[in-house]
Amino acid sequence: MGDLLSGYRTLAGPDEIFAPDGTIRHAYAEFAERLRRWDADDYRARQAASDLEQLNGGVTFTVSQDQAGTERIFPFSLIPRIITAEEWAVIEAGLVQRVTALNRFLTDLYGDQRSVRDGVIPPELVEGSAGFNPHMRGFIPPLGVWAHIAGIDLIRDRDGIFRVLEDNLRTPSGVSYVLENRRTMLNVVPDLFPTGSVAPVDEYSDRLLEMLVAVRPAGIDADETRAVILTPGSYNSAYFEHSFLARQMGVELVEGRDLLVHDHHVYLRAITGLEPVHVIYRRVDDDFLDPLVFRADSALGVAGLFDACRAGNVTIVNAIGNGVVDDKVTCRFVPDAIRYFLGEEPILPNVDTYVGALPSDLDFILANLGDLVMKPSNASGGYGIVIGPQASRAELQAARERLRSNPSGYIAQPLQEFSTIPAFDGERLEPRRADLRPFIVTGASSWVLPGGLTRVAADSVSYIVNSSQGGGSKDTWVLRPARKA
Amino acid sequence: MLSRVAENLYWLGRYLERAENVARMAEVNYNASVEQRATGGDDAELWTALIGALDAEEEYAAAAAATPGLSPGDWLIFSEANPNSLRSTVSLARSLARELREHLSREVFEEINLLYLSAARAPHTAGMRPFTASVKRTVAAIVGLFDNTVLLNEGREWLRCGLFIERADMTSRIVDAKYFILLPSPEDIGGTLDTYQWMGILRSASALEAFRKRYRGAITGVRVAELLLLDDDFPRSLRFCVSALIRHFERATEATPRHQSLPAARELALLQLDMGAAEAEAIVETGLHEFLDLFQARLARLHDAMTEGIFLAVPTATSAR
C-alpha cells in the first residue's frame, strides 16, 4: 500500500499541488487528504471506470488527419486542477477586461481605425493580417459584440502568475469536455470532492442560450428568436461538442444544406416548410461560411449568408472577421489595446511575445532562437512549433531560414516553465504541464464559466497540450470563498 | 423538424428493425442447420434460401469467390465487406444516431453506442449466438427507451414509419424464404419436411407461439400465410404493419401542407386496398411468391415516394411563414 502522493517529483516549473518546499498547497489540502485513501490499484480501477463511461457515452473526438474519421476519447485524468476563490476573482476580472477591450478593438479596426492612427498597432499588421476581413469594414454587430464566446488560454508561470498565452475568438472549442468531465468526476470519483465547495459548471448552456437571444437582430422579439448551431457535419473533430451544445440548449443542430437564404433572410428547411432563423452559432470557419463571398468550393456554408448578416437579418456568432485580433501576432498588442480603450492596466499579463513582422523583434528572435519557442502565426492545434532549447542545431538552422524567408509568418516566446499537475501514468503520479482555457460568454454583459478546460501534455517532457498532439484534459475546480465563521 | 433529421430518424428505424430481423433469421437458421448436420442432412440449402430471400445471391457469390471458405453465416453476420451484414447494419444505425444525437435521449444513444461497441468487438470464434442475442435484446431496449425518454413529436412517428416499413419488408422476405427451399417432390407438400420448414418460417418471425394460440391444428402453408400476412393482431404481420404505417405516417405529416395529396399517401392507400381484399387461400392458390414480390415492390415505391416527395422536397421560398 503506497501513498499515491509520496515520491512525486516535480519539474523545473512550479507544481499546482506541491509548493517548492514539498508541502501540499492550501487549495489541495482537503483533496489530498481524500486521495491518500487510494493506492495504485484503486486509481487504475477508477480510471478504467471513467474511460468506459466516456467511451459508452460517445464523448469522443475525431482525429482530423485520419481520413477514416477514427473516434477517440480525450485522455482524461482524475486529478483536478484546483483554483482558489481569490485566484479566480483575479482571473475572472482579467478575462472580462480583456474580452471587453477586444470587442472595442474589433469595432475600431473594422471602423475608423483610430487605434491604428494612435499607434496601438502597426497598420501593416492589421490589413495585412490573414484574419482581417475587408468585407466587414463598417460593420457593427448587435450590442457591439464580436467575440460572443471567447476561449483565452492561460498558463501559470514560474512566479505563480497566470499569463495569457493566446486568445481564441473564432470558434473556440472544448467547453463540452468541461461539462462532461465534471459529470464523469461526479459519477466516478464522488469521494474526491471536498464538501460543498466546488463551483458548478452546468449553468453554461443557459448562459449561452441567453446570450444567443440577447444578440438577436433588431426588431425580433426575444420569444420568437430562433437560434441554431451550424456544424460542418459529423466528421468534424469537434462534432461531439456541436451536438452536445444543441442538446443542452434544445436548439436545432444544422448543416449548411439545411439552411437557405431568400431575400436576405435565413430559413431552415423544415419538413413542414421554411422556418425563419435569427441567430446562428456557427462552428464553421469564416472561409467556409458563404460560397458566394468566401471559398466558392465550400459545401459547408450557405449561399447568401454573408449578405443576410450584413443586412442585419441574422446574427452570426462569433462574428465574421475576429481572426484579425486573435492571431498570435496581435496578441502582443492586446495589453496596449486594453490601456488604450479602457484606460486601465491589464489585470492578466501576456506571455512575452516577439513578432517576426517587427524588425526589432525579428533580430531578437534570430539571435535568441535557442532559448525561444517559435510558432507559425496562423496555425493552431500545436502544429509547426519549434522549441528552441529542445531543438537540434539543424532544426534551429531550418527554423531560422523559414523565419527569414517569411518573417511575418512567425512569432516567438521565451520557453515558459509553466506549471505542472500530476497525472497517473499507470504506476504512479507524474508531472504534466497544463494550461487553462476559461470560456467567456458575452452578450449584454460578460459571464465567465467558473474554471474552464484544463489541458495537459501527453508526457512529462512535452510542453504542448493540444489534443491533436496526444494531450489530455482534467476537471477544473474553482473553490467557493471560505465562509466567514 | 428539419427534413434531414426526419429522414435520418426514418432510416434509424429501418436499420434497427433490419438488424433485429437479420439477427433472428440467422439465429433460427443457425439452429436448424446445426440440427440438420446432427441428423446427417445438408445444411447448405437453408443458408441458400435465406440469402435468396434477402435478394443477395449475387453479392454472396462474389464475396465467396473472393474469399474461399467464407461461410454464408459469417457473411451475413460479421462481414464488414457486406454492407447489409448485421455488423454493418449496426454501424450504420450508430452513425445515424451520432448525427441525430440531439434528437435522442442520452439513454437511447448510449444503448445504440454500446451495441456498436460490442459489435466491433464480437469475435467470430464464439459463434453468432451471443451477438445475435444481444442485437435482439438491445433493439427492443432502444425502441422502448425511445418511447419512454424522448419527446414524442413527429420525429418519433418517422422512426416508427421506418420501423414498420422495414418490418413489413422483412416479414414478407421471411415467408418468401419458403419459396427458395425446394421440396424433393410435389408429394412432400403437407408432409413432415414441409411442416418442418413452415415451422422454421414461423420461428424466424417470432410467430410459432402466436400460431399455437391462434390455431389448434396442423401447420399448413395457408394458415402460416394467414397469420404472417393477414392477421390483424399479430404485430409482425403485413396487415398489421401496413395499418401501423398508415397511422404513423398520418401523424408524421399532420402539419405538412397538402399532406393528403402527397404521393406517399396515395401509395399507402393502394397498399391498404391490397391488404384489405386479400384472402390467404386465394393467395396461396395463385402464388404466394408472386404476391410477396408485388408487395415488396409496393413498399419500394412507398419508400421512394417518401424520400423524393417529402424528405428531399425543396421547400419553395414562397412557403416561408
Side-chain angles (χ1 to χ4, degrees):
Chain A
M1 280 276 288
D3 179 346
L4 281 168
L5 288 170
S6 63
Y8 176 72
R9 79 189 163 87
T10 55
L11 301 180
D15 189 79
E16 294 285 340
I17 292 194
F18 291 97
D21 64 3
T23 58
I24 304 268
R25 291 183 195 271
H26 174 66
Y28 284 83
E30 185 174 348
F31 171 78
E33 207 51 47
R34 290 165 177 272
L35 187 66
R36 281 188 204 282
R37 296 172 198 157
W38 290 16
D39 63 14
D41 284 337
D42 295 324
Y43 198 107
R44 277 188 285 267
R46 301 297 186 101
Q47 186 69 53
S50 145
D51 290 352
L52 189 64
E53 169 140 336
Q54 300 213 339
L55 184 66
N56 289 349
V59 187
T60 52
F61 70 96
T62 315
V63 182
S64 52
Q65 298 98 324
D66 192 336
Q67 286 304 305
T70 309
E71 292 167 44
R72 293 202 196 135
I73 59 167
F74 201 8
F76 177 61
S77 154
L78 302 175
I79 311 282
R81 173 202 282 277
I82 307 181
I83 302 172
T84 63
E86 298 73 34
E87 287 170 332
W88 183 250
V90 175
I91 296 173
E92 193 176 26
L95 293 169
V96 171
Q97 178 195 51
R98 194 168 176 103
V99 169
T100 308
L102 284 165
N103 278 315
R104 301 267 296 269
F105 201 13
L106 279 160
T107 298
D108 186 58
L109 293 180
Y110 287 114
D112 55 15
Q113 300 198 344
R114 209 162 45 88
S115 61
V116 179
R117 282 197 306 281
D118 289 339
V120 174
I121 185 169
E124 63 274 17
L125 292 188
V126 176
E127 309 234 346
S129 156
F132 184 80
N133 189 325
H135 299 285
M136 296 307 282
R137 279 204 185 95
F139 182 75
I140 300 179
L143 306 180
V145 179
W146 300 74
H148 307 86
I149 298 120
I152 296 191
D153 294 346
L154 307 176
I155 54 170
R156 197 206 282 267
D157 73 6
R158 228 182 248 284
D159 304 317
I161 294 171
F162 281 99
R163 287 177 180 270
V164 176
L165 189 62
E166 195 172 303
D167 300 296
N168 295 282
L169 308 182
R170 282 170 277 185
T171 52
S173 64
V175 75
S176 59
Y177 295 102
V178 176
L179 276 63
E180 282 291 336
N181 286 351
R182 176 63 55 85
R183 183 188 156 95
T184 303
M185 290 289 276
L186 288 168
N187 286 343
V188 177
V189 295
D191 49 327
L192 289 186
F193 280 79
T195 337
S197 61
V198 177
V201 292
D202 46 16
E203 203 185 332
Y204 183 83
S205 26
D206 290 335
R207 295 290 192 154
L208 185 61
L209 186 58
E210 187 182 291
M211 176 277 288
L212 293 176
V213 174
V215 299
R216 67 191 181 274
I220 306 291
D221 281 350
D223 289 346
E224 57 165 302
T225 301
R226 178 74 171 269
V228 298
I229 299 183
L230 175 64
T231 174
S234 61
Y235 293 102
N236 184 268
S237 62
Y239 181 76
F240 169 77
E241 176 154 310
H242 308 161
S243 147
F244 177 89
L245 292 173
R247 246 178 304 141
Q248 293 274 310
M249 292 194 290
V251 305
E252 203 73 52
L253 179 64
V254 305
E255 294 177 22
R257 58 190 157 124
D258 300 323
L259 298 177
L260 166 156
V261 176
H262 176 71
D263 197 18
H264 300 314
H265 286 80
V266 183
Y267 299 94
L268 200 71
R269 290 173 193 265
I271 200 143
T272 46
L274 298 179
E275 294 173 13
V277 171
H278 309 108
V279 181
I280 299 177
Y281 175 18
R282 50 78 176 235
R283 297 296 297 258
V284 173
D285 290 343
D286 284 6
D287 281 352
F288 297 93
L289 268 183
D290 183 345
L292 299 183
V293 183
F294 307 112
R295 288 178 57 152
D297 61 339
S298 168
L300 303 177
V302 188
L305 186 58
F306 182 80
D307 282 346
C309 164
R310 288 237 39 167
N313 295 326
V314 69
T315 307
I316 307 285
V317 170
N318 288 350
I320 299 169
N322 288 1
V324 67
V325 301
D326 92 335
D327 70 13
K328 298 182 177 77
V329 176
T330 29
C331 187
R332 183 195 196 287
F333 304 96
V334 174
D336 281 341
I338 293 173
R339 293 183 188 99
Y340 180 78
F341 288 106
L342 307 181
E344 297 168 6
E345 270 307 300
I347 298 168
L348 292 171
N350 267 15
V351 165
D352 292 335
T353 304
Y354 306 92
V355 306
L358 289 182
S360 57
D361 283 15
L362 177 61
D363 292 342
F364 181 87
I365 303 172
L366 287 170
N368 299 287
L369 191 56
D371 299 321
L372 298 172
V373 179
M374 187 174 112
K375 304 175 184 179
S377 324
N378 281 310
S380 62
Y383 295 105
I385 293 182
V386 176
I387 296 174
Q390 292 178 354
S392 70
R393 205 173 255 277
E395 284 166 342
L396 286 177
Q397 199 44 45
R400 281 195 192 91
E401 273 157 31
R402 286 204 299 279
L403 176 61
R404 277 201 198 90
S405 65
N406 178 21
S408 58
Y410 297 91
I411 62 123
Q413 296 165 333
L415 180 63
Q416 297 293 323
E417 283 304 343
F418 54 103
S419 65
T420 55
I421 310 179
F424 191 68
D425 73 349
E427 293 300 327
R428 62 184 66 80
L429 293 178
E430 284 281 313
R432 297 279 185 273
R433 292 183 182 82
D435 77 350
L436 174 65
R437 174 179 289 182
F439 292 91
I440 305 95
V441 177
T442 305
S445 61
S446 287
W447 175 80
V448 187
L449 173 68
L453 183 64
T454 294
R455 300 185 299 175
V456 295
D459 53 48
S460 60
V461 182
S462 178
Y463 286 83
I464 299 172
V465 297
N466 303 71
S467 59
S468 51
Q469 307 290 320
S473 75
K474 286 172 174 295
D475 193 10
T476 309
W477 297 355
V478 172
L479 299 182
R480 288 179 169 146
R483 254 178 255 142
K484 303 235 165 61
Chain B
M1 168 157 290
L2 283 177
S3 308
R4 178 173 57 83
V5 169
E7 185 178 19
N8 281 346
L9 279 164
Y10 166 81
W11 272 109
L12 180 62
R14 288 203 74 149
Y15 286 139
L16 289 174
E17 183 68 23
R18 186 175 301 172
E20 198 260 350
N21 275 275
V22 170
R24 190 158 18 74
M25 286 159 82
E27 211 173 276
V28 172
N29 226 43
Y30 176 75
N31 291 348
S33 73
V34 170
E35 206 174 351
Q36 282 272 16
R37 261 178 301 166
T39 54
D42 175 17
D43 65 318
E45 196 185 42
L46 285 169
W47 290 106
T48 314
L50 179 54
I51 287 174
L54 293 171
D55 273 337
E57 298 103 321
E58 284 173 33
E59 286 92 335
Y60 174 65
T67 318
L70 178 70
S71 79
D74 272 356
W75 185 73
L76 273 175
I77 301 300
F78 294 110
S79 168
E80 279 167 58
N82 173 8
N84 296 312
S85 75
L86 187 56
R87 181 177 271 169
S88 302
T89 305
V90 167
S91 287
L92 287 167
R94 193 270 186 169
S95 328
L96 277 181
R98 195 167 164 265
E99 273 191 49
L100 281 167
R101 204 167 157 170
E102 71 281 8
H103 297 275
L104 307 174
S105 64
R106 187 173 189 109
E107 288 91 336
V108 168
F109 177 80
E110 285 197 5
E111 280 300 321
I112 299 177
N113 199 39
L114 280 169
L115 181 61
Y116 163 78
L117 293 170
S118 76
R121 285 191 296 256
H124 297 214
T125 45
M128 63 173 68
R129 280 306 288 263
F131 183 35
T132 52
S134 97
V135 169
K136 288 185 343 187
R137 249 198 326 272
T138 312
V139 169
I142 292 164
V143 173
L145 278 169
F146 194 100
D147 267 7
N148 289 295
T149 58
V150 179
L151 198 61
L152 300 180
N153 56 16
E154 70 263 47
R156 185 252 186 188
E157 304 304 325
W158 284 118
L159 180 102
R160 291 268 155 175
C161 284
L163 199 138
F164 279 109
I165 197 172
E166 186 69 24
R167 182 178 294 178
D169 187 64
M170 276 297 185
T171 299
S172 76
R173 288 175 192 281
I174 288 169
V175 179
D176 207 20
K178 183 71 170 78
Y179 173 81
F180 291 89
I181 320 173
L182 297 177
L183 284 170
S185 74
E187 287 88 76
D188 288 320
I189 293 179
T192 318
L193 185 57
D194 193 29
T195 304
Y196 183 76
Q197 288 174 353
W198 281 119
M199 208 186 268
I201 299 293
L202 288 170
R203 277 206 188 93
S204 294
S206 271
L208 186 57
E209 283 157 301
F211 185 93
R212 296 298 188 200
K213 289 208 170 63
R214 191 60 102 201
Y215 306 97
R216 298 277 163 219
I219 298 178
T220 65
V222 171
R223 283 174 169 175
V224 173
E226 197 169 71
L227 179 68
L228 293 185
L229 272 50
L230 305 176
D231 201 292
D232 283 324
D233 303 324
F234 184 63
R236 318 197 74 85
S237 81
L238 305 192
R239 185 175 272 164
F240 187 97
C241 291
V242 169
S243 305
L245 253 175
I246 289 168
R247 194 167 64 245
H248 293 297
F249 180 83
E250 280 173 357
R251 287 190 206 146
T253 55
E254 243 165 28
T256 306
R258 294 185 300 279
H259 54 97
Q260 272 146 348
S261 54
L262 289 167
R266 192 176 149 269
E267 290 296 337
L268 264 173
L270 288 175
L271 258 174
Q272 194 179 23
L273 270 179
D274 283 358
M275 295 314 299
E279 274 181 55
E281 251 170 85
I283 293 172
V284 172
E285 189 88 353
T286 51
L288 185 54
H289 175 67
E290 287 69 21
F291 177 86
L292 295 170
D293 251 7
L294 194 71
F295 181 77
Q296 286 165 17
R298 277 225 192 283
L299 289 182
R301 273 210 301 277
L302 171 63
H303 170 83
D304 291 344
M306 289 200 277
T307 304
E308 302 298 328
I310 300 175
F311 302 137
L312 300 182
V314 181
T316 50
T318 49
S319 67
R321 287 181 291 184

